[in-house]
Each structure stands twice: as C-alpha cells, then as structure tokens.
Amino acid sequence: MRVAVIGAGIAGLACAWRLAQSDAAIEATLFEANEYFGGHANAVDITLDGITRAVDTGFLVFNLSTYPNLVALFEELDVPTTETDMSFSVSLGEPALEWAGTTLNTVFAQRRNLLRPAFLRMLADIVRFNRIATALALQRGDTAPSAEPVGRFLARERFSDAFRDWYLLPMIGAIWSCPVAQMLAFPIGTLVRFCHNHGLLQIADRPRWRTVTGGSRIYVDRMLAGIPHARSGEPVRSVRRFGRDVQVETARGIETFDHVVLACHSDEALSLIGDATAAERDVLGAIRYLPNRAVLHTDAAMLPARRAWSAWNYESRSTEGETSVCVHYLINRLQPLPFETPVIVSLNPVREPRADSVLREFSYSHPLFDQAAIDAQKKLPSLQGDRHTWFAGAWTGHGFHEDGLSSGLAAAARLIERAAASRRAEFVA
C-alpha cells in the first residue's frame, strides 16, 4: 500500500512515522511545502551573549494530564523535557492596567488596584466563574453546556466588564491566538470543557507544564529518522481521485498512491482537492483561519513596564477606536535558555519592537473555532476514508499539538487496519 501524507506538521509527521514503524506493508511518502519539517514545531538557532541555542517560535509547552499521546510519543522517542513556567500577565492601555497572576505581589503590581473596586470585583468574579464553569463542564446529556456564545453567557450571569475585559478574554484570546471579539462568539460549552480539562478553572493544583529541552526540533528530527520517504520544499499542487487510485501532482510530476492523508489546514486541503465532493466542500470550507505574525526579538520594552514579567504577557492597545491585542512570550521563562538577554516571541505585536532587536519573523495560521467550525467537526468522521482520502490536523480538535498528533495517529491506525484486511483477503484468496 502506497500512502501520500501531505503536510509535515505534527499530524503528518505522526501519521507517516506510525505507518513507517508498523509491520504492515505500507510505504508512506511525506510531502512538505516548507523547507523545514515540523509546522508550528519550529525551533531556530539564535546567538546571544556569545552562545548559540535553539529557540522555539510556535509549539512551546505541554502537560502530563491533557497531552497523553504526546507524552507517550516523547517517552517512545526518549525526548528530554523540562518543567516550565506558565505564568500570565495582562497589560492594557485603556484603562491603564497591569497585573500578573503569579503572586499577590504581581496581582497588585499596581498598588492602586488594592483600592480599585472594579479590580477587586474582577478577582471575586474569577472565583465565581471557576465554580460555575466547573459545574457546567461536569454536566452531561440534556444538561450539558450549550452553544450559547460566551458574550451572552457572561451578560446573563452578570459577570463584570472588568472580569470579561481584564481577565477572561485576554486569557482565552491568548490561548487560541484569536481576537477577543471573536472569542465573545465562542460557544460557552466548548470553552468550559476545554478550561476544565486543562486545569484552568482551579486556583491551586493546576497541571504542571513542560517543554522540550533543546527545542521541538529534537522530537521532529527523531521522527524523521524513522520516515524513509520525506520531502521538504516540495509543495503539492493538486490531488485527484480516480477509482482506487489517488494522483498527487508536484513539480516532479504526477505520482499515483493508494491513499492520501491531507494533514494540512482544512482550507489548504480543500484548495488541493481538484475533485472535491459537496460534503468535503461543506466541512472543509466551514473552518476559517486567522493569520498571525510572530516576531522573535530581544526588546524588553515590549514586556510589562512594572516588571510583572510572566511567561505569557497579554497586551492590548486602543488607537482611534480600534483595539489591537497581542501576546509576548518570554521564552527565557518557558524554556531553559542560557541567555541573560530576554528572548521574546511577540504574536501580532501592537507595538513594533526596536528594529535592531528583531532576530526573525514567521507567519502562522490558527483555526477559528466558532460554532460553524464545531458543527463541521461533527461531520468529519463521515468523510474519513471516502475515495481513499483521510484528513488530519489540529483543526480536527481544539487546535493544539495533542489534537494534531491524535488525528495523525488515528489516520495511521485506520490505514494499518486497511492494509491488514487487504492482506487477509489475499491470503484467503
């Protein structure tokens, strides 16, 4: 069985690697348009203070509780990991506000917040939200949390504007790399289940987060070592299905496979399929993506001015009635780096870092999980395997590394089953 796997992010890597490692008679060819493998697992070398180290710019952290497949993969590949810091700060331009959740000292980094009624109400609402959301997340059946938009839920439960604008929207907007206005339309049921599963609804005993020691390229390289047929810098131009054959066109020409796994963004998958069915257009076309600009730099002026530095630093600024938001990841807090100089990845910076501090720039896209996307996900199983075509990617779940990995492994498992069934049929014949 010959299988084409298109896209070498975590989903495509996992699928091709598992197929190559199986004892089934499967030859998997991995196609990647970029010059590097890994997708959002993108570690780059930088030199500071006379030292060169790999720094991650996309995928950064995981935990032992909610990333079971990733934990198992790292154990199988003997990938070294290190405990990391997942602290979070908020910096707003209007009203002028800064705070971080690490300690009481950072919560009240602005001492006047001790006497600010709206800020104290926000803290009380955090506790109330955690209690209500936990109860909702645990409900099942007819009482399960609904598709009610987050904005409507917050208004109905009478949560304060300060809680909404100074805590909840910054937190979930940072997690999903999404503008806060979009998060107001996010289904509350999906939100509370995710937050509960990731331990975000508890003040203490939260999951312990880890990072790959030496950068995510460690695990990418170890997976690639087990994939004999992997091609980077070779974008696929089109995919067409003819009976039992799948034709994949690249600059090399047209190659024929028995199956294809589209382990790329859903919009990219749809653009590649030259003979998409109505059902494929319905599902793949329902999911929208947001482009995100990531700037790797060393400008500490982008961090909170009151030194409430955290691993994740949310910033919001308003200009002429328009509000822009970004997240500054302080990589020194997230990964064990030998640098004294702060190393920062700013996602969609609302202010530009000093030109002489910029090391690299990257473009990443993240799926927007509105109700249309969630409805489309429910229809996806009916497409899997139809016309020898399979779909994988973080977009099939919540948009995170574990989701991409799980979908890639699931596609591989189904293909291995197909190969085994084919062998059994040949044996009987």
Side-chain angles (χ1 to χ4, degrees):
M1 181 188 289
R2 298 188 71 230
V3 178
V5 181
I6 301 174
I10 182 60
L13 281 169
C15 183
W17 177 77
R18 184 62 80 200
L19 292 176
Q21 298 303 302
S22 75
D23 58 3
I26 300 176
E27 178 185 282
T29 301
L30 180 62
F31 295 89
E32 172 53 50
N34 289 321
E35 295 296 334
Y36 73 95
F37 295 99
H40 287 199
N42 184 15
V44 298
D45 286 331
I46 66 170
T47 301
L48 293 173
D49 309 328
I51 305 170
T52 300
R53 285 291 187 276
V55 172
D56 273 309
T57 63
F59 165 70
L60 286 163
V61 296
F62 70 100
N63 68 62
L64 303 181
S65 302
T66 57
Y67 290 69
N69 286 316
L70 193 64
V71 170
L73 175 70
F74 287 172
E75 289 178 352
E76 187 170 350
L77 295 173
D78 195 24
V79 174
T81 66
T82 305
E83 191 165 342
T84 188
D85 172 12
M86 282 290 282
S87 53
F88 182 67
S89 76
V90 175
S91 176
L92 307 180
E94 187 179 332
L97 176 77
E98 283 186 354
W99 73 282
T102 311
T103 66
L104 279 177
N105 187 46
T106 61
V107 168
F108 294 103
Q110 288 176 314
R111 294 301 188 244
R112 67 172 179 269
N113 287 337
L114 285 162
L115 301 175
R116 196 175 194 170
F119 190 84
L120 299 178
R121 168 74 185 277
M122 176 198 77
L123 298 179
D125 273 349
I126 291 174
V127 176
R128 185 165 70 94
F129 177 81
N130 289 351
R131 184 180 67 251
I132 293 173
T134 297
L136 283 174
L138 294 175
Q139 291 176 358
R140 295 291 184 268
D142 294 339
T143 61
S146 67
E148 181 182 20
V150 167
R152 188 182 304 164
F153 169 82
L154 295 177
R156 179 170 58 77
E157 294 291 338
R158 298 186 178 181
F159 284 99
S160 65
D161 291 349
F163 167 80
R164 180 193 64 204
D165 299 334
W166 301 353
Y167 171 73
L168 184 66
L169 292 184
M171 180 184 70
I172 61 179
I175 290 172
W176 273 281
S177 303
C178 178
V180 293
Q182 300 286 351
M183 295 311 301
L184 286 171
F186 202 81
I188 188 63
T190 302
L191 174 66
V192 299
R193 280 189 293 267
F194 175 86
C195 290
H196 175 71
N197 291 340
H198 285 72
L200 300 177
L201 301 178
Q202 52 204 65
I203 302 298
D205 299 323
R206 288 191 169 189
R208 300 173 74 173
W209 292 81
R210 303 188 70 82
T211 188
V212 177
T213 310
S216 58
R217 71 158 63 125
I218 299 290
Y219 91 75
V220 172
D221 289 344
R222 292 185 184 182
M223 295 184 83
L224 285 171
I227 305 173
H229 307 286
R231 309 177 191 172
S232 62
E234 188 165 332
V236 170
R237 294 176 176 175
S238 69
V239 173
R240 288 187 177 274
R241 288 77 57 92
F242 297 94
R244 299 182 64 179
D245 293 335
V246 177
Q247 292 187 347
V248 175
E249 181 183 4
T250 68
R252 294 192 189 195
I254 294 176
E255 298 176 70
T256 301
F257 297 87
D258 298 298
H259 293 266
V260 63
V261 179
L262 288 149
C264 47
H265 290 329
S266 53
D267 58 343
E268 294 172 334
L270 183 57
S271 71
L272 291 177
I273 301 174
D275 53 356
T277 64
E280 287 170 337
R281 289 193 295 270
D282 178 46
V283 172
L284 302 177
I287 300 170
R288 296 181 290 156
Y289 287 80
L290 297 171
N292 289 289
R293 173 178 169 241
V295 182
L296 175 64
H297 63 91
T298 59
D299 187 358
M302 305 292 280
L303 298 173
R306 288 166 181 80
R307 309 279 297 183
W309 290 5
S310 301
W312 296 39
N313 301 275
Y314 172 92
E315 181 182 10
S316 172
R317 292 289 180 269
S318 297
T319 305
E320 298 179 355
E322 293 292 325
T323 300
S324 301
V325 301
C326 72
V327 181
H328 307 290
Y329 302 94
L330 181 54
I331 308 299
N332 310 63
R333 291 279 184 95
L334 288 160
Q335 297 188 305
L337 300 180
F339 309 126
E340 293 294 331
T341 303
V343 179
I344 304 161
V345 172
S346 294
L347 197 66
N348 302 320
V350 297
R351 299 172 290 133
E352 290 301 315
R354 290 190 336 270
D356 62 353
S357 75
V358 175
L359 302 172
R360 296 280 297 274
E361 288 199 23
F362 308 90
S363 179
Y364 298 116
S365 292
H366 295 90
L368 176 61
F369 290 104
D370 54 15
Q371 191 59 46
I374 292 166
D375 291 341
Q377 287 177 338
K378 296 175 182 177
K379 302 174 185 177
L380 180 60
S382 66
L383 300 183
Q384 297 290 26
D386 186 39
R387 302 179 73 187
H388 300 259
T389 305
W390 309 80
F391 300 95
W395 62 271
T396 65
H398 289 107
F400 298 97
H401 230 55
E402 177 73 9
D403 301 301
L405 173 61
S406 300
S407 67
L409 293 175
R414 296 287 299 278
L415 286 164
I416 291 169
E417 289 174 2
R418 291 282 181 99
S422 178
R423 281 199 311 237
R424 287 194 298 270
E426 290 176 2
F427 179 78
V428 171

